[in-house]
Amino acid sequence: MAKTIIDAHNVTKTYNPEKVPVYAVQDVHVHIEEGEFVALVGPSGSGKSTLLNMMGGLDEPTKGSVIIDGVELTELSENKLIDFRLHNIGFVFQAFNLIPVLTAKENVGFVLQLQHMPKKEREKRVLSLLEEVDLEDKIDSKPGELSGGQQQRIAVARALASKPKIILADEPTANLDSKSAANLLNIMAKLNKEENITFLFSTHDQRVIKKARRVITLVDGKVDSDVQQTPT
Amino acid sequence: MLFQIAWRNIWRNTSRSLVVVSSIIIGIWAGIFILSFSWGLYKNNINESVYKQLSHIQIHNPDFKQENDPKFTIPNSDSILKQLESDNRIASVSSRVIATGMITSTTTASGVTIYGINPVSETNQIGLDQNLIEGVYFGSGKDNEILIGQKLAKKHKLKLKSKVVLTFTNVNSEIVSAAFRVGGIYRSKNISLDEVNVYVKQEHLRELLDLKPSETNEIAILIKDEEQLDSITNYSKTLVPNAKVEDWRQLAPELDLIIESFNLYTYIISGLILLALTFGIVNTMLMSVLERIRELGMLMAIGLNKRKIFFMIMLETIYLTLMGCPIGLLMGWLTVTILGRTGIDISMFSEGLASYGFSSMIYPALDQEKYMIIVTMCLITAILSAIYPAYKALQLNPSEAIRKI
């Protein structure tokens, strides 16, 4: 039996709790096992990004707990949480993913440098990651010189750099054309299969949803459905 | 890597960074220029007072300083002068006989201080020969020649060869009057003194005062190296144990006050310039932080801790300052060096300034210590200015920052 990598228990996020409370996420229970490829879907404002942020330790739940690989995130101090993210979670955002003043190679290597990986080892890993996302020829290009799809692939390579257990992606294909989106999804699916990395991504893109093996639907901050499916 | 990111970040908006660098350059240059100009002005005033009026050291009979009566003299001044002249640390020595009295012309009368001087030795000290605008420096060879200031000449409507009468009290408390002819009219850098100081030959005044041949009221010493001031003052005290030996700081404490107030002035001017600079830097860096909120949020999300984000923003400001500081310093130093040689002619305003003892040519000057103060204050300002924008970045919550439009 696969081990539970994400355990969100009774998670609630309320904005403005003392005046007019707005429930972004309400009593959500989600268990995700290692190696799953999960799509978090729902209409705008359903709480997808909020739940994803809480699972990534970027936001703190008002109530409930988030346990990642046995570590209760709400119990970590701010610095320990940042360190935890650095070593255990990879992020891919919708936009503004990369550091604009660094080249593709430097962007991917940035996280490794924060982990104090020696230069030779780091360069080797960066090159292999860029090969995995088919961008070895863009090694010295800055984000401004790359297309949206290429930028997202660099972001995936960076998210993978620290060999995280989980990659959280918030609408990763939202700004991409069909071809770039399909390319990105194929890379993510391949990494999930070959390296057993758990992928959790919020989306309302049907192309992404079809690739997922499990689809969790949120409506008004609550889990409406949680179904397994065969990816197409 | 943070050093590299910070460096590249400042060139994301080249024109904005150049504006900050330029304001730092102008700020430092302006600070250096204002301070060097002021110091040049004060130094000129101090030098004028020390070299042309006071000398570095003066020796008096202690009672002369209190009573201002020529009967209180330094005896055996000739031998004292000889001993002082033989000291190679001393540039020049002169003795003076001094009386206060009244000058009367055909038009009016006024109070004056009458200096009986040795024309030869005083060329190195009071330097009246260089300030003479009419006549020849004790050129008539007669005993009753008098040199007066231009302002006094105007007041009494006196010309060369005009006759005046000096009236004063001699050492026997008798009133003495003597006629003199104007042999020269001088104009010094201190117009207010030009109205009250008159100069006659020492031997003649000594006779009129009924002093003994080797008696004088004042011995003035100019030294070669100011560093030696204390040791020569002490040496003079041993030579004339019963006399009052004072250096220029004791003789004119207001000059020392000028130096002290200039030091304070350094901090105030630098502070004001740097305060203006602070607002510029804070504004620019704050803008730079606010337009990068999403990026900073992303950096926090992927594992860059707040301490490093704070450091990165501080680094950006420090880089800008480090670019501006040396250029501003170099420009300031060049300005001071060039103008220090050529001088700045402020003759347009010199009439007013001259009455306070200032020259019409100002030679800007600034010692190394003041340069260091400006640089240090500039660096402190830059670091302080960066704290608020960097602190603002620390307030960001990564999840909110990433969503920021």
Side-chain angles (χ1 to χ4, degrees), chain A residues 15 53 58-59 78-79 82 85-86 91 93 96-102 106 110-111 113-114 158, chain B residues 1 4-5 8-9 12 294-295 298-306 308 397-399 402-403:
Chain A
Y15 291 107
N53 284 339
L58 297 179
D59 217 346
E78 196 173 6
N79 279 338
I82 290 173
R85 285 201 298 264
L86 175 64
F91 287 95
F93 303 106
F96 294 92
N97 250 316
L98 303 174
I99 303 162
V101 292
L102 299 185
E106 290 165 341
F110 182 70
V111 173
Q113 220 167 343
L114 290 179
R158 186 192 58 201
Chain B
M1 180 65 96
Q4 202 176 14
I5 296 177
R8 292 188 193 171
N9 272 340
R12 284 164 77 167
R294 291 179 75 152
E295 193 182 310
M298 177 270 291
L299 286 171
M300 285 183 205
I302 65 171
L304 192 67
N305 63 36
K306 290 189 170 181
K308 286 180 176 157
N397 171 309
S399 68
I402 289 163
R403 280 200 295 267

Side-chain angles (χ1 to χ4, degrees), chain A residues 73-93:
Chain A
L73 297 190
T74 50
E75 284 176 3
L76 295 179
S77 68
E78 196 173 6
N79 279 338
K80 281 192 175 163
L81 192 58
I82 290 173
D83 202 48
F84 183 82
R85 285 201 298 264
L86 175 64
H87 290 92
N88 297 285
I89 306 171
F91 287 95
V92 180
F93 303 106

Side-chain angles (χ1 to χ4, degrees), chain B residues 49-303:
Chain B
S49 303
V50 171
Y51 286 92
K52 301 294 176 194
Q53 292 164 29
L54 297 170
S55 300
H56 288 107
I57 301 163
Q58 285 187 3
I59 305 171
H60 299 99
N61 181 315
D63 294 325
F64 178 81
K65 289 289 280 181
Q66 286 188 344
E67 307 287 332
N68 216 15
D69 189 325
K71 73 179 177 190
F72 298 112
T73 59
I74 306 163
N76 302 319
S77 60
D78 288 349
S79 68
I80 296 166
L81 283 175
K82 271 185 189 161
Q83 288 188 66
L84 288 169
E85 275 165 353
S86 65
D87 193 316
N88 58 13
R89 296 171 301 170
I90 292 170
S92 71
V93 191
S94 63
S95 62
R96 293 158 193 168
V97 172
I98 304 167
T100 49
M102 181 92 79
I103 185 167
T104 313
S105 64
T106 51
T107 53
T108 185
S110 63
V112 285
T113 304
I114 309 151
Y115 284 86
I117 61 169
N118 179 337
V120 178
S121 62
E122 289 296 358
T123 54
N124 296 322
Q125 300 220 6
I126 300 173
L128 278 177
D129 53 326
Q130 297 144 39
N131 291 337
L132 224 54
I133 52 172
E134 280 182 61
V136 182
Y137 182 66
F138 292 107
S140 70
K142 290 177 182 168
D143 282 345
N144 67 341
E145 189 173 347
I146 184 168
L147 301 185
I148 60 169
Q150 189 189 28
K151 203 166 180 187
L152 187 70
K154 272 187 185 169
K155 189 175 172 183
H156 284 259
K157 295 181 181 149
L158 294 171
K159 291 177 182 167
L160 280 180
K161 294 186 180 170
S162 295
K163 190 179 165 188
V164 292
V165 174
L166 294 181
T167 308
F168 46 88
T169 311
N170 72 7
V171 294
N172 306 315
S173 301
E174 295 162 349
I175 292 173
V176 178
S177 287
F180 286 83
R181 282 210 185 268
V182 176
I185 298 173
Y186 69 87
R187 181 190 158 98
S188 76
K189 302 284 164 40
N190 193 334
I191 292 173
S192 55
L193 289 180
D194 291 2
E195 195 179 350
V196 292
N197 288 353
V198 298
Y199 299 88
V200 298
K201 283 186 180 171
Q202 193 176 93
E203 287 309 316
H204 188 47
L205 184 61
R206 187 178 276 135
E207 275 171 34
L208 292 169
L209 286 169
D210 207 14
L211 285 171
K212 288 174 190 157
S214 68
E215 281 183 322
T216 55
N217 297 114
E218 182 175 285
I219 294 175
I221 307 167
L222 269 185
I223 60 173
K224 288 176 182 168
D225 180 5
E226 286 232 28
E227 299 284 316
Q228 301 281 337
L229 184 63
D230 288 341
S231 72
I232 299 174
T233 308
N234 290 333
Y235 169 65
S236 307
K237 281 178 186 167
T238 59
L239 273 182
V240 205
N242 298 324
K244 192 174 175 82
V245 180
E246 295 165 292
D247 65 30
W248 64 271
R249 289 170 193 271
Q250 292 159 321
L251 291 163
E254 71 278 5
L255 295 179
D256 209 22
L257 193 69
I258 285 177
I259 296 172
E260 274 179 36
S261 62
F262 177 74
N263 288 337
L264 181 67
Y265 189 57
T266 306
Y267 292 108
I268 294 172
I269 290 285
S270 312
L272 284 173
I273 290 170
L274 295 175
L275 185 68
L277 201 62
T278 305
F279 284 102
I281 296 175
V282 169
N283 179 42
T284 309
M285 291 314 295
L286 200 58
M287 247 192 332
S288 160
V289 166
L290 293 178
E291 69 185 22
R292 280 189 289 162
I293 283 182
R294 291 179 75 152
E295 193 182 310
L296 293 172
M298 177 270 291
L299 286 171
M300 285 183 205
I302 65 171

